[in-house]
Amino acid sequence: IVFELGDVYDGMRDREELRSCVNEYADLLTVWVFNPTVKAEESSSNSIRAADCDIVLMNAGTLPDFQRKIKRVFCNFMGVGV
């Protein structure tokens, strides 16, 4: 149900929900965005951890820096130049 309306879902917080989606969608790629300047949430509000995801992206710079990083990662996966 999560991906019936689109290809991207932001804000999932439950590890079992993530595992269910990964099992249901074979080509699902999970991404954890990490910002070291933001305090980690309590496990009671978010049971998903970086280790549960396929890719971890560091977001410690500016918005344009992060946008360039996302573009590089996407182009790398798609096998095209930036």
Side-chain angles (χ1 to χ4, degrees):
I1 293 175
V2 170
F3 295 104
E4 288 180 0
L5 298 176
D7 294 334
V8 176
Y9 182 85
D10 174 30
M12 189 174 291
R13 308 177 89 56
D14 183 77
R15 181 179 281 151
E16 291 307 314
E17 182 181 18
L18 177 65
R19 287 179 182 158
S20 176
C21 288
V22 168
N23 289 335
E24 185 173 343
Y25 300 95
D27 59 348
L28 182 67
L29 180 69
T30 59
V31 179
W32 179 273
V33 178
F34 175 68
N35 185 333
T37 66
V38 175
K39 183 181 177 211
E41 293 185 38
E42 298 293 326
S43 61
S44 61
S45 73
N46 183 4
S47 60
I48 300 171
R49 296 290 170 245
D52 298 321
C53 298
D54 299 309
I55 298 173
V56 177
L57 292 179
M58 179 70 71
N59 180 18
T62 65
L63 178 59
D65 290 340
F66 190 62
Q67 290 169 331
R68 282 190 295 275
K69 184 180 287 189
I70 291 171
K71 184 176 180 181
R72 283 194 320 269
V73 169
F74 177 76
C75 289
N76 188 20
F77 277 108
M78 297 304 293
V80 297
V82 176

